[in-house]
Amino acid sequence: MPEAPSAFEHQVAGHAGTLLALGDGRVAKQATAIETAFYQQAPVRAPGLAEAFMPPFLGLAEVPFGDATATALVMGDVLDGFERPCIADIKLGVRLYGDEATAEKRERMEHQARSTTSGATGLRVCGMKVFDPTREAFDVYDRRFGRAITAEQLGIAVDVLLGVLVPEPGVTAPHGPHGLVPAASEDARRHARAVCQRLIGQLGRLRETLAASPVRLYGASALVVYEGMRTAGAPRTDVRLIDFVHSKFVDDADGPDTGALFGVDNLLGLVRDALVRLDGAREP
């Protein structure tokens, strides 16, 4: 018998209750016409993007969300198989609204971009969840963390995601760049180095794929994931694009989404910088 839909335990951003676990490695998200069209068109318009950097699209279904039933996008769970997934939802691009936005919403989103890291870097941390093996617990950072940091402090967010900066003892996950201390374990830094090396390759491939894709990813996010359980082998990592509620395809002649590329370039640079810091801190 199929499992009853339940709240997706690893959702780190967006409205609570809009993402459900269906069991068997599937998740459901309330469908909109724009996002449904994007998923349906992606295998033809941008096959490289659809195959490697989007959640697998499995179709549409009627799914109960709370007291009501709604049409849902059914997708493969990209976290399936991770034991302790460490996750960051990072909004990409400078433009955060779609063509359908009202004038009031455009003005609000433009202000949000100017007043957060989105405007300067094409990146904003919407939420993170990081496993701490020493406590056998997750630290969760909500959107307040991403809105409290400046563009110059995005490296702190990457170090938090990598587990090399952790909350001070007795402090729950901070809502900004303060209340954090370096992880004491060299094992944490060794794991973070391996994660960085893999993410650099994946982000580079995402950049190449995006540069060849005729898309506009307004308001979409990069989902960065790695395995938080530390083992002798290389850690599993993944990078996916998600949240296409305002996204669309354009004519090939219109080229790629320069705003999304700007964000991916900056994220790639931040991970490279984190690896340099980790190599500099390596014990002799």
Side-chain angles (χ1 to χ4, degrees):
M1 179 179 295
E3 295 180 27
S6 59
F8 186 64
E9 66 171 320
H10 294 302
Q11 182 177 353
V12 297
H15 299 292
T18 57
L19 194 62
L20 300 179
L22 301 180
D24 298 326
R26 298 172 302 137
V27 297
K29 179 186 180 184
Q30 290 188 16
T32 67
I34 292 174
E35 189 164 27
T36 299
F38 192 85
Y39 269 104
Q40 291 173 333
Q41 295 170 22
V44 175
R45 298 298 313 278
L49 202 66
E51 182 177 348
F53 295 107
M54 291 173 59
F57 177 53
L58 306 178
L60 298 171
E62 296 300 308
V63 175
F65 288 86
D67 297 330
T69 297
T71 302
L73 298 161
V74 180
M75 299 168 287
D77 179 4
V78 298
L79 303 184
D80 191 37
F82 283 92
E83 230 181 306
R84 296 289 186 272
C86 298
I87 312 158
D89 181 317
I90 304 172
K91 192 170 291 291
L92 293 177
V94 175
R95 175 173 162 173
L96 306 178
Y97 56 87
D99 293 341
E100 77 287 356
T102 63
E104 184 276 332
K105 184 169 184 180
R106 291 185 183 206
E107 183 178 347
R108 179 159 46 88
M109 292 295 98
E110 288 169 355
H111 172 74
Q112 189 176 107
R114 290 192 302 269
S115 61
T116 65
T117 55
S118 289
T121 68
L123 299 171
R124 188 173 82 244
V125 177
C126 296
M128 297 190 293
K129 186 174 183 178
V130 185
F131 182 66
D132 183 348
T134 63
R135 295 168 30 241
E136 286 287 317
F138 283 98
D139 293 312
V140 178
Y141 302 80
D142 63 22
R143 65 181 182 177
R144 289 173 290 183
F145 181 89
R147 293 187 178 191
I149 60 177
T150 64
E152 294 74 22
Q153 293 169 330
L154 276 169
I156 294 174
V158 173
D159 286 349
V160 169
L161 172 63
L162 294 170
V164 294
L165 279 180
V166 297
E168 291 179 356
V171 175
T172 57
H175 300 318
H178 308 293
L180 298 163
V181 295
S185 167
E186 172 59 24
D187 188 44
R189 293 185 286 274
R190 185 163 45 247
H191 190 73
R193 279 193 290 270
V195 168
C196 283
Q197 289 164 349
R198 291 180 62 85
L199 288 179
I200 287 168
Q202 288 173 317
L203 287 167
R205 290 189 290 276
L206 171 59
R207 205 259 179 231
E208 293 174 2
T209 306
L210 263 184
S213 301
V215 297
R216 296 295 180 267
L217 299 175
Y218 303 138
S221 289
L223 190 73
V224 179
V225 189
Y226 71 89
E227 178 56 67
M229 288 293 289
R230 298 169 189 167
T231 61
R236 180 183 172 192
T237 62
D238 201 357
V239 177
R240 301 283 176 141
L241 299 175
I242 59 170
D243 293 340
F244 306 111
V245 177
H246 307 298
S247 299
K248 66 175 183 176
F249 289 96
V250 296
D251 291 339
D252 291 346
D254 292 333
D257 186 332
T258 55
L261 285 172
F262 178 54
V264 172
D265 283 341
N266 282 323
L267 182 55
L268 183 54
L270 287 164
V271 177
R272 284 174 171 156
D273 289 347
L275 182 58
V276 169
R277 290 192 297 274
L278 288 162
D279 283 341
R282 191 192 299 264
E283 292 184 355

